[in-house]
Amino acid sequence: MRVLRGSDKNFNYRRLHRDLKLLQLPVDFNLIILDEIKTYWGLYHSSKKLIKSYVAGLSYETAFPHILHESIHHYQHYHQKDFKRKYGVMHDKIFKLLMEAKLNEWCLLYRDWR
């Protein structure tokens, strides 16, 4: 995971890297965390392997699910065998299953920390 200039300096990038690795998700993408106000929380640019996430200033626990979402898009584009995005479909059945499973796994990792 390469953090690009302009990203939120206060974000816990080490924890993000560790959490994604614990969830067995690849971290071979570029990341920029911004605080611009958008109507969405993030974007994945597959041609650049770039995740843009608009979560600067949010707590890690609030921001992580949004970055996880974009990380799963990256996983599908570059690591899921035979993946082809269908025109007009942003989230296929496998994406939804992965998102639910990985988010649940992440919650279980930290359930005893509360």
Side-chain angles (χ1 to χ4, degrees), residues 26-44:
V27 291
D28 59 336
F29 56 82
N30 298 311
L31 173 68
I32 187 164
I33 294 184
L34 305 164
D35 62 357
E36 300 171 18
I37 297 172
K38 299 284 182 185
T39 58
Y40 43 85
W41 291 99
L43 292 169
Y44 177 64

Side-chain angles (χ1 to χ4, degrees), residues 46-71:
S46 60
S47 62
K48 299 176 186 177
K49 289 187 175 183
L50 172 65
I51 291 174
K52 281 186 181 179
S53 192
Y54 302 96
V55 296
L58 298 178
S59 71
Y60 182 83
E61 289 73 17
T62 302
F64 181 80
H66 301 292
I67 299 170
L68 174 64
H69 177 106
E70 303 308 331
S71 297

